[in-house]
Amino acid sequence: MIEEMKDRSTDVLQILKTYFGYTEFREGQEEIIREILNGRDILAVMPTGAGKSICYQIPALKMRGITLVISPLISLMTDQVKALNEAGIHAAYINSSLTEGQIVKALLYAAQGKYKIIYVAPERLETARFLDFACHTEISMVTVDEAHCISQWGQDFRPSYLKILSFIRHLPVRPVVSAFTATATQRVKEDILELSHPYVISTGFDRKNLYFAVYAAKNKKDKIQSYLKEHDGESGIIYCATRKNVDELYLLLSGKGYSVGRYHAGMSPGARQENQEDFIYDRKKIMIATNAFGMGIDKSNVRFVLHYNMPQSMENYYQEAGRAGRDGESAECILYYSPQDVRVNQFLLDTKENMGDFTEEELQNIRIQDRQRLRKMTQYCTTKKCLRKYILNYFGEQTAEKCKACSNCSEEYEDTDVYPIAADILGCVKEAGQRYGINMIVGILAGVDTAKLRANRQKENKYYACQSTQTQELLKEVIYALVEEEVLSLTEDRYAVLKWTALAEKFLTERQTFFIARKKKTQKENTPAALRRKAGDSVLAPAEKEIF
């Protein structure tokens, strides 16, 4: 038995070298492959760049029949199949980009055993032709890529993914089922587990070679240009929230002589493909794109990922940021934040099309989850705590308080007692009937004179102007700290309202102090950020954060 395991280990390593050009496995890969070849179902949670595809592609080559890979994106299928065929592995995809004639031909070749791996869109599983093919062909494994799409709590929920289990049940022989995702909270994992109760492995979310930073920036174009000047010749990605921002930034940077390409859904497929290949093969150093770009792109030398706008969720951000530093070398993930980003993202979420034929109940759940994720993303941009810890905690991992590899850990903060301000905030929320959002409460406390306050008779609120000597920025900062400590909560409505929680009364009667971290006005030369600059590893000077 031991000799058999050694032979199998040697065998899969040889496949890795022959077809993929690697001499050793990354963390978790060999274990996953071994479990699949032993007939175990798998749920693997691996960060972007950890090499998920190899975990199912190598077993597919070892198994007798065909492996079906269920993938949500046509571009991802195309790239994966192209890479496999170039490596000498016969693979195909079946999706809406093919004609009916091409689909018939592909299924015929597959039935004849010409393909070991077939990528298929989840919607295809419901068609009679494909189900007939699958029931009369030896299917050894069904692999679910981007498995978080199964969950209504995932950021990319697709109802068609819920049909996978039904499809598997229709097969005459149940295949091995493997599910892979890079971003899954505990709740999403539980939904995925309902699919097939697999062997679960998580290789961890921490990418120690990545430096994370959030900088408030009123003139983002200037900040981007300053960064690129200091990182001349390096390869990187700049993500923007809208096509308009992509086009504007592309015109600006190309006009300044930078080697840039662009990518968004408003461009023709040919133009997107050309720009993508120019970036992959280093003919262009920088890609400016919306979140339509990046799935399945395996470019190892991306030294930075800049976010011109805040993404809509931590899942999206970590997946996009994770495209930096795939070679294991140091890379930077910089997010330029402004309060306007929150409003833009809320608008994009509110106007999102019903692309999946969701029921009204499903749409309502999706909207609630979208708002929750946006708030968590906003908290990431405004927290003074360790950014790496925030990310890992979001995905259910615990870590040390200080990573010393993010902008917050590189800055110096001092604890400031803001209990009197916090107490007045709580009093104001209650006095106002717990009917208003953050901006209204801040306006009351600051003593602003607006038509809305007058119309709602909030100038008569006994807390009106009681904190008029404080900046509105500080008041918002304390409110967010109270929300983070779960003393206050925000409702799930489109226009979130502040509410007391069960901890509010206890906070007022038992607490004597409430500290928040505020940045010191001076920065010592021996801080991590200063040391990084001395070493020639450039980091932008941190700016005072704007709190929305």
Side-chain angles (χ1 to χ4, degrees):
M1 184 67 173
I2 294 175
E3 290 301 319
E4 182 182 340
M5 290 177 65
K6 286 183 178 178
D7 290 343
R8 180 174 287 177
S9 178
T10 303
D11 197 10
V12 296
L13 186 59
Q14 187 59 50
I15 293 174
L16 181 72
K17 292 177 182 177
T18 302
Y19 291 103
F20 302 100
Y22 299 111
T23 57
E24 59 184 23
F25 287 103
R26 296 179 186 175
E27 182 186 356
Q29 286 181 325
E30 191 170 10
E31 180 183 353
I32 292 168
I33 292 168
R34 181 179 66 247
E35 293 296 335
I36 290 174
L37 292 176
N38 284 336
R40 293 288 303 275
D41 290 352
I42 288 285
L43 168 59
V45 183
M46 307 170 74
T48 300
K52 292 184 288 295
S53 58
I54 281 175
C55 295
Y56 59 81
Q57 288 168 351
I58 288 181
L61 297 179
K62 291 281 293 174
M63 292 171 158
R64 283 183 48 186
I66 292 171
T67 289
L68 297 180
V69 181
I70 300 167
S71 177
L73 294 174
I74 291 175
S75 60
L76 179 57
M77 296 185 207
T78 305
D79 294 337
Q80 292 277 6
V81 169
K82 181 181 178 182
L84 286 170
N85 283 305
E86 288 175 351
I89 299 169
H90 296 300
Y93 58 80
I94 297 174
N95 56 46
S96 60
S97 71
L98 302 181
T99 65
E100 282 301 307
Q102 289 173 322
I103 291 172
V104 170
K105 191 174 182 179
L107 291 176
L108 177 63
Y109 284 168
Q112 294 172 351
K114 292 187 178 181
Y115 302 127
K116 288 296 290 179
I117 304 174
I118 297 177
Y119 284 77
V120 59
E123 294 80 6
R124 186 65 47 179
L125 305 179
E126 302 175 60
T127 64
R129 176 180 289 157
F130 191 85
L131 185 58
D132 181 67
F133 154 76
C135 288
H136 293 88
T137 308
E138 185 177 6
I139 307 296
S140 299
M141 178 165 64
V142 172
T143 293
V144 184
D145 200 11
E146 307 298 333
H148 57 271
C149 295
I150 291 170
S151 174
Q152 290 195 38
W153 305 103
Q155 77 272 22
D156 296 311
F157 170 57
R158 294 180 68 158
S160 55
Y161 261 64
L162 299 177
K163 306 291 186 181
I164 296 172
L165 185 56
S166 174
F167 168 78
I168 292 170
R169 286 173 177 163
H170 274 93
L171 299 177
V173 178
R174 188 188 185 280
V176 173
V177 180
S178 55
F180 295 85
T181 182
T183 52
T185 59
Q186 185 57 42
R187 194 162 196 175
V188 172
K189 287 180 191 176
E190 291 168 2
D191 273 7
I192 297 172
L193 283 170
E194 289 180 10
L195 183 65
S196 55
H197 304 286
Y199 173 79
V200 181
I201 179 172
S202 176
T203 59
F205 289 93
D206 196 5
R207 296 278 303 283
K208 290 183 170 60
N209 62 314
L210 300 184
Y211 177 86
F212 293 96
V214 177
Y215 299 126
K218 292 183 178 178
N219 196 332
K220 296 183 180 184
K221 290 185 175 69
D222 288 346
K223 294 291 186 183
I224 294 285
Q225 290 181 80
S226 296
Y227 186 93
L228 296 181
K229 190 178 295 184
E230 295 175 357
H231 294 78
D232 185 43
E234 293 183 0
S235 181
I237 304 171
I238 305 173
Y239 280 107
C240 301
T242 65
R243 301 175 189 179
K244 180 182 177 182
N245 283 345
V246 169
D247 291 337
E248 287 180 352
L249 198 56
Y250 170 79
L251 291 173
L252 173 68
L253 296 179
S254 59
K256 298 281 187 179
Y258 288 100
S259 175
V260 295
R262 59 179 161 175
Y263 191 107
H264 60 66
M267 299 166 58
S268 69
R272 291 200 302 269
Q273 185 66 28
E274 181 181 354
N275 278 323
Q276 179 172 298
E277 290 182 357
D278 283 346
F279 179 67
I280 290 173
Y281 297 112
D282 282 325
R283 294 191 288 268
K284 290 183 178 176
K285 290 292 185 182
I286 302 163
M287 178 63 82
I288 307 170
T290 61
N291 60 8
F293 175 78
M295 281 291 214
I297 301 300
D298 189 12
K299 182 173 169 64
S300 63
N301 65 335
V302 175
R303 296 272 63 84
F304 59 84
V305 172
L306 309 182
H307 276 81
Y308 185 76
N309 306 104
M310 180 187 78
Q312 293 175 356
S313 70
M314 287 302 304
E315 288 90 341
N316 288 344
Y317 176 67
Y318 203 49
Q319 194 169 61
E320 291 160 10
R323 288 167 189 144
R326 288 191 173 198
D327 54 7
E329 299 298 319
S330 296
E332 294 188 342
C333 308
I334 313 294
L335 195 163
Y336 298 101
Y337 168 76
S338 69
Q340 179 65 18
D341 292 339
V342 183
R343 292 186 281 273
V344 169
N345 278 316
Q346 188 61 65
F347 173 78
L348 293 173
L349 290 174
D350 290 341
T351 57
K352 185 166 62 174
E353 291 184 55
N354 184 1
M355 300 296 288
D357 295 324
F358 300 117
T359 66
E360 191 55 41
E361 183 180 356
E362 287 171 340
L363 274 175
Q364 186 60 27
N365 286 335
I366 289 168
R367 291 189 188 105
I368 290 171
Q369 294 308 307
D370 284 344
R371 286 193 286 268
Q372 286 182 348
R373 280 190 286 265
L374 181 57
R375 284 174 196 143
K376 288 291 185 182
M377 189 70 237
T378 305
Q379 286 177 11
Y380 173 80
C381 293
T382 57
T383 186
K384 298 296 192 300
K385 296 179 180 178
C386 172
L387 296 176
R388 187 181 303 275
K389 179 180 174 66
Y390 187 98
I391 292 170
L392 297 180
N393 286 356
Y394 181 84
F395 291 111
E397 287 188 18
Q398 298 302 313
T399 186
E401 185 67 36
K402 294 284 187 180
C403 72
K404 298 183 179 178
C406 75
S407 57
N408 282 359
C409 288
S410 298
E411 296 173 9
E412 285 205 1
Y413 292 96
E414 56 187 354
D415 286 337
T416 303
D417 184 9
V418 292
Y419 181 81
I421 299 175
D424 280 350
I425 289 170
L426 288 172
C428 182
V429 169
K430 189 172 185 179
E431 179 75 10
Q434 303 185 67
R435 292 182 291 121
Y436 301 110
I438 293 175
N439 289 335
M440 188 73 162
I441 296 300
V442 167
I444 296 168
L445 292 164
V448 300
D449 187 8
T450 64
K452 187 174 181 180
L453 257 71
R454 291 194 299 272
N456 288 280
R457 303 182 65 177
Q458 288 305 307
K459 288 190 71 174
E460 300 172 18
N461 188 309
K462 69 180 182 182
Y463 290 91
Y464 181 78
C466 70
Q467 291 291 339
S468 59
T469 59
Q470 306 295 341
T471 65
Q472 292 190 36
E473 178 187 5
L474 175 59
L475 296 176
K476 289 179 181 179
E477 194 172 340
V478 178
I479 288 174
Y480 273 113
L482 288 168
V483 172
E484 193 170 350
E485 292 293 325
E486 298 182 349
V487 178
L488 284 174
S489 67
L490 284 163
T491 64
E492 302 302 335
D493 309 298
R494 180 180 176 183
Y495 300 105
V497 173
L498 284 167
K499 299 281 188 181
W500 275 32
T501 71
L503 299 177
E505 194 69 48
K506 186 176 181 181
F507 180 92
L508 289 173
T509 57
E510 297 183 11
R511 291 284 291 266
Q512 301 298 318
T513 57
F514 184 60
F515 291 99
I516 64 170
R518 302 224 80 202
K519 198 176 79 170
K520 290 184 178 179
K521 294 182 180 180
T522 59
Q523 182 172 304
K524 297 179 181 178
E525 284 302 308
N526 64 347
T527 62
L531 292 175
R532 282 165 63 85
R533 285 195 292 275
K534 288 178 182 178
D537 194 4
S538 176
V539 176
L540 293 175
E544 189 70 32
K545 289 196 175 90
E546 297 176 356
I547 310 300
F548 177 68

